[in-house]
Amino acid sequence: MSGRVWWRLAWRNLGRNRKRTLITGAALAFGYLAAVVIVGVSDGIVAEMIDNGTSLLQGQVQVHAPGYLPERSLYATLGGDSGMALSPVLERLRELPGVTGAAPRVLGGGLVSAGSQTSGAVLMGEDPALEPRVSRLMAAIATGRAPEEGTRQVLIGSEMARKLGVGPGSEVVLVAPAADGSLGNDLFTVSGVYRTGVRELDAAYALLPIGTLQSLLALAPGRVHEIALGLSDPWTAAAVADSARAVLAAAGVPADVRSWPRFRPEIADYARLARASNWILIAIVFAMAVFGVANTMLMATFERRREFAVVRALGTTRSGVARTVVYEGLILGAFALVAGALLTAPILVWWHRSPPDMSFLYGGFTMAGALVRPVLRVQYSLEAPLLAAAALLVTAVLAAAYPAWRATRVPPADALSDR
Amino acid sequence: MTGARRRHPTPGRQRTSGPALARVRWALLPLVLGLAVPSASVPLRAQASGPGRLAARDVLIGTPAAQQAAETPREIIDHVDRLLRGASSRGAFRMEIRTAHWSRTLEGKVWSLGTKYSLIQLTAPQKEAGTATLRVGDEVWNYLPRVDRTIKIPPSMMMGSWMGSDFTNDDLVKESRLVEDYDVAIGYRGPRDGVEVWEFVLTPKPEAAVVWGKILERVRKTDLMPVWARYYDEDGGLVRTMTFSDYRTFSGRLVPATMTVVPTDKPENRTVVTYESLAFDVGLSPSFFSLRNLERGR
């Protein structure tokens, strides 16, 4: 007998009690929907954390002079005391695949003072044209605007502005120990105030045009402490870091290149944890489905005891009987999968495009030092739907396995004589 | 003035001060910068020798300094601690700072009154002349002539370097006496390099809020002049060494006019402070230590 017969039998058996088939299939389809959406939400939170944890300020890949970290010495600039030719290197870094931007930075510790109030600050010199492609600090300006190149303007965080009692247009004094041993100090105008929601950031960072900070710190142009890269996909960071290393080596600039899992290990740890829990979630959802489906299939096969007895009595092998039942499960699973996918796809797309604002439930919070906005965006990947699809089919087969085994154990004589 | 170590904290991490060196209070700085203590309060009691005390003959050698000295280890350390102080003082100093990256020499004037008030004003280099630091109690202000503004140093910056030297802002406000925070014992007595000395071991009192785990200080027996002081962290590691030299008489008082500080973790760094003049009991009043005088430049 050809195998097709078992498929046909399975198909017919499914049509026998359509209501039951429909309900069982719906259970599987909803299981699929639940698994994919839960994983999507979890991936969404992870993506939000990585994005905020790195894109807010640091970028996904950072380049420093060897030995700059962790002390962050003012003198440890890229290319040593003479600095480096920045533009060609930045150009080449920007051309790497997956890199959205490369921004040079100068960093120094200092004071920002207004009236009788003084606040310690991390002074960060940035290029107003390049920086927005790497970090979002500039996009987080609450009032005022970004400092303009060549001016003595400074952008400060909302916490620092509150502490100093200043706003756009206010005069502040910046003081910083310079590289020549003198005390760099000058009057600045607050060009704007940014607000990220990460308190430590809003209280600490003061952004200046890079050239202005270099002259305040008595650093020659071309001396920078950091080059930060922005990536379109944060998960490519390790590969991009390797390419960046090659670019800097070719330029003859000794460099320590790090990707975000290295300087934000807590976020990388959380991402790994979330990934592991995705598997567990999928397993739980389908484990529940297995029992539900197995239950109905067991009933269906029990109803057909006499049939199985007849076909067995007519010479059908046990494996033939088992195959009809397993095929039944597989066909059910395949239909449930199609239905589930059709149901899930629009929901995912809608949820991704217009994430519901959950601020009525919770405000923005920080987790592992990264801001999580009060929106519940789902992130879709190919991995989760494929994984869930495989899980669904395995579930259908597993759920059919026991009923199939039972079906093969029907003793024909007993079943036919109603014993 | 500001952080000796510049940090670029990741969000969620506190901005921290630098390694042990920057965190520590340097108890002897008031001495260096002439923060005055009323000399009348120096205890000069003559007591019988007993456990932990020095025999009177160890001290009373006959030099003027020794004659007014005390005889217990505690009293000797207290005497040395306040060598450079009068009820008020006025002086001129030169501070040479050397680091791996730059060297510079600052010159300035210093006024002080009691333990509470001091004013330091730079006169050189030209670029920074007029830069001044005023301390009243535990508050410190800096005047910046370039921008004609006075800024108040926030508490979080007290561990930052003062003018790029191996001093911290906090060193300026240290006003308690060594003997209030430390128990003093004799670690060695006898000849060293042909000179009779004591080596004292200062260990923090259990309740004292200090950063040093231990201070060793060598003092010459003949004139009670300090030779060096070594500052250790809580793990017993040497953090910095201060060497005294150039003993000179100012206003009839013998003092070490030069003090050299070398931080252990940066052996290429050193800060050398030399007094060019120093006058004691010059009759200053608290009103002298005003923001107006800070900005006007005395």
Side-chain angles (χ1 to χ4, degrees):
Chain A
M1 249 196 278
S2 92
R4 274 167 65 192
V5 127
W6 307 123
W7 284 108
R8 204 181 307 154
L9 272 176
W11 173 245
R12 285 188 184 163
N13 277 328
L14 278 173
R16 207 185 270 188
N17 190 337
R18 290 193 181 152
K19 206 176 276 176
R20 185 167 61 199
T21 303
L22 213 62
I23 291 173
T24 316
L28 279 171
F30 273 105
Y32 181 81
L33 171 76
V36 173
V37 168
I38 289 173
V39 169
V41 167
S42 158
D43 281 353
I45 293 174
V46 169
E48 176 83 357
M49 277 186 69
I50 295 171
D51 190 42
N52 281 311
T54 58
S55 305
L56 214 48
L57 174 70
Q58 290 166 309
Q60 280 87 39
V61 173
Q62 292 190 336
V63 181
H64 299 113
Y68 177 70
L69 297 173
E71 283 287 315
R72 296 186 177 275
S73 158
L74 183 61
Y75 310 100
T77 48
L78 280 161
D81 288 352
S82 46
M84 59 182 281
L86 264 176
S87 320
V89 171
L90 288 177
E91 190 66 39
R92 246 163 284 154
L93 286 173
R94 259 196 303 276
E95 281 163 6
L96 294 176
V99 174
T100 57
R105 293 159 175 184
V106 171
L107 294 151
L111 298 177
V112 179
S113 177
S116 61
Q117 297 297 318
T118 306
S119 175
V122 179
L123 307 179
M124 182 169 127
E126 41 75 45
D127 185 323
L130 302 177
E131 190 62 36
R133 290 183 213 171
V134 175
S135 71
R136 284 208 310 268
L137 267 193
M138 304 294 220
I141 295 178
T143 52
R145 52 203 163 68
E148 280 165 36
E149 188 67 67
T151 61
R152 288 208 308 273
Q153 293 181 342
V154 59
L155 176 72
I156 61 174
S158 55
E159 274 300 303
M160 188 185 288
R162 188 186 58 75
K163 199 178 151 200
L164 298 177
V166 297
S170 301
E171 176 198 278
V172 290
V173 182
L174 262 61
V175 183
D180 62 358
S182 70
L183 195 62
N185 61 89
D186 221 328
L187 287 176
F188 280 73
T189 309
V190 176
S191 70
V193 175
Y194 68 83
R195 193 184 135 70
T196 62
V198 181
R199 219 182 147 78
E200 295 84 354
L201 215 62
D202 293 344
Y205 280 78
L207 276 67
L208 292 64
I210 193 163
T212 308
L213 184 57
Q214 278 165 334
S215 80
L216 184 74
L217 296 177
L219 287 173
R223 289 190 76 176
V224 299
H225 297 108
E226 183 172 289
I227 296 175
L229 304 184
L231 309 184
S232 46
D233 176 5
W235 293 107
T236 63
V240 172
D242 286 337
S243 326
R245 241 168 246 131
V247 167
L248 285 142
V253 178
D256 175 11
V257 182
R258 298 183 180 194
S259 55
W260 68 266
R262 179 103 182 266
F263 53 81
R264 295 307 297 271
E266 68 284 9
I267 297 179
D269 285 347
Y270 180 80
R272 265 194 293 276
L273 181 72
R275 211 162 249 206
S277 68
N278 284 351
W279 286 87
I280 295 171
L281 276 172
I282 292 180
I284 290 174
V285 167
F286 284 106
M288 281 158 64
V290 161
F291 294 110
V293 176
N295 181 34
T296 44
M297 298 223 26
L298 204 55
M299 275 173 62
T301 49
F302 194 73
E303 279 173 6
R304 303 205 302 264
R305 263 170 69 87
R306 289 173 76 85
E307 259 177 70
F308 291 132
V310 171
V311 293
R312 291 277 288 122
L314 291 175
T316 307
T317 57
R318 285 187 167 174
S319 80
V321 170
R323 274 157 81 180
T324 28
V325 180
V326 170
Y327 288 168
E328 204 179 317
L330 261 177
I331 294 171
L332 180 67
F335 273 90
L337 178 58
V338 171
L342 288 176
L343 197 65
T344 308
I347 291 179
L348 272 189
V349 170
W350 167 77
W351 204 336
H352 180 74
R353 293 251 171 97
S354 51
D357 186 349
M358 306 299 281
S359 51
F360 65 93
L361 265 179
Y362 60 94
F365 61 94
T366 52
M367 186 149 69
L371 182 74
V372 180
R373 288 176 299 182
V375 289
L376 210 56
R377 183 189 293 278
V378 303
Q379 194 68 27
Y380 43 71
S381 58
L382 207 57
E383 190 189 73
L386 287 182
L387 198 65
L392 187 148
L393 292 176
V394 169
T395 301
V397 172
L398 273 182
Y402 179 64
W405 181 78
R406 287 291 302 265
T408 62
R409 298 287 128 185
V410 175
D414 285 2
L416 288 173
S417 59
D418 268 345
R419 251 185 287 150
Chain B
M1 224 238 46
T2 54
R5 305 291 177 286
R6 290 145 201 107
R7 297 247 165 172
H8 172 205
T10 53
R13 198 176 302 159
Q14 272 273 311
R15 188 181 159 87
T16 53
S17 53
L21 179 67
R23 283 201 305 275
V24 296
R25 303 175 117 200
W26 185 17
L28 275 183
L29 189 82
L31 179 147
V32 175
L33 292 170
L35 307 188
V37 153
S39 55
S41 69
V42 178
L44 297 173
R45 288 172 299 146
Q47 285 191 338
S49 52
R53 291 170 189 255
L54 299 168
R57 63 171 190 280
D58 282 344
V59 176
L60 302 173
I61 317 286
T63 66
Q67 271 165 8
Q68 55 169 289
E71 77 272 13
T72 68
R74 182 184 148 87
E75 283 161 352
I76 292 168
I77 284 297
D78 203 29
H79 167 82
V80 171
D81 193 15
R82 288 188 272 164
L83 260 182
L84 288 164
R85 301 166 178 173
S88 60
S89 72
R90 184 179 65 223
F93 69 92
R94 196 173 69 243
M95 182 184 270
E96 288 167 41
I97 309 164
R98 203 174 82 202
T99 73
H101 303 278
W102 47 265
S103 300
R104 60 203 300 256
T105 301
L106 305 176
E107 285 173 34
K109 297 182 211 164
V110 55
W111 295 263
S112 71
L113 173 66
T115 54
K116 200 177 162 194
Y117 302 95
S118 64
L119 175 62
I120 304 166
Q121 194 204 2
L122 296 186
T123 53
Q126 188 65 38
K127 197 180 148 198
E128 273 155 284
T131 304
T133 301
L134 172 70
R135 183 205 132 216
V136 176
D138 54 7
E139 300 195 316
V140 176
W141 288 268
N142 265 18
Y143 172 68
L144 304 164
R146 179 179 144 78
V147 295
D148 190 25
R149 294 289 187 284
T150 295
I151 64 170
K152 190 169 178 216
I153 306 299
S156 59
M157 283 291 133
M158 294 309 262
M159 297 307 169
S161 156
W162 184 78
M163 297 289 165
S165 71
D166 294 310
F167 296 96
T168 66
N169 289 300
D170 190 62
D171 289 331
L172 301 178
V173 304
K174 172 75 183 174
E175 56 181 304
S176 69
R177 291 150 53 190
L178 276 180
V179 293
E180 285 170 359
D181 290 333
Y182 293 87
D183 288 319
V184 185
I186 296 177
Y188 173 84
R189 85 173 86 177
R192 290 275 201 221
D193 307 322
V195 179
E196 285 290 313
V197 299
W198 292 294
E199 285 176 14
F200 296 104
V201 182
L202 282 72
T203 43
K205 294 180 178 176
E207 72 282 8
V210 295
V211 294
W212 300 116
K214 181 177 73 172
I215 303 174
L216 294 186
E217 182 155 13
R218 181 187 286 184
V219 176
R220 298 205 301 223
K221 276 188 182 182
T222 48
D223 51 9
L224 293 183
M225 285 293 110
V227 180
W228 49 246
R230 291 175 184 167
Y231 299 82
Y232 296 82
D233 62 23
E234 277 148 13
D235 305 322
L238 181 64
V239 177
R240 57 179 162 185
T241 303
M242 179 165 170
T243 314
F244 303 87
S245 55
D246 190 15
Y247 304 97
R248 274 195 267 165
T249 304
F250 292 116
S251 286
R253 201 190 281 212
L254 183 67
V255 296
T258 298
M259 283 135 283
T260 306
V261 185
V262 180
T264 309
D265 65 341
K266 287 188 186 162
E268 71 277 15
N269 277 27
R270 67 189 55 229
T271 298
V272 182
V273 177
T274 305
Y275 275 100
E276 279 155 354
S277 69
L278 197 53
F280 297 102
D281 305 321
V282 291
L284 297 171
S285 73
S287 64
F288 174 87
F289 299 90
S290 64
L291 288 174
R292 218 174 112 224
N293 275 350
L294 171 74
E295 293 169 9
R296 193 162 68 187
R298 293 301 302 182

